[in-house]
Amino acid sequence: MEEAQNKPKRPPNVCIPWDEKHKEFPKIQGDTEIVKRTWEEIDALGYTFIWHCLVSF
């Protein structure tokens, strides 16, 4: 039961949230919203792929 309480809360349909991922990047010189939106789109595709593999096989 304690392990469930220690797990990070993630929004639905997200593998790695932007709030965690952007900490790995150096300072972004351009528009961070474009990078954020692109990351969220790619992350959603990864989540969909994993979910599809889970339910298809």
Side-chain angles (χ1 to χ4, degrees):
M1 184 76 175
E2 288 182 33
E3 288 182 25
Q5 293 174 351
N6 292 336
K7 291 178 87 174
K9 297 284 184 180
R10 297 198 188 275
N13 303 329
V14 173
C15 293
I16 302 172
W18 172 249
D19 294 338
E20 290 179 22
K21 191 63 179 177
H22 86 279
K23 295 174 186 172
E24 298 175 15
F25 297 138
K27 186 174 190 288
I28 298 171
Q29 299 294 322
D31 188 357
T32 57
E33 279 302 310
I34 293 173
V35 179
K36 177 183 177 186
R37 185 177 64 237
T38 303
W39 172 256
E40 290 173 344
E41 290 172 359
I42 292 171
D43 186 70
L45 289 173
Y47 182 90
T48 302
F49 175 76
I50 293 167
W51 183 251
H52 177 69
C53 289
L54 178 69
V55 298
S56 295
F57 303 104

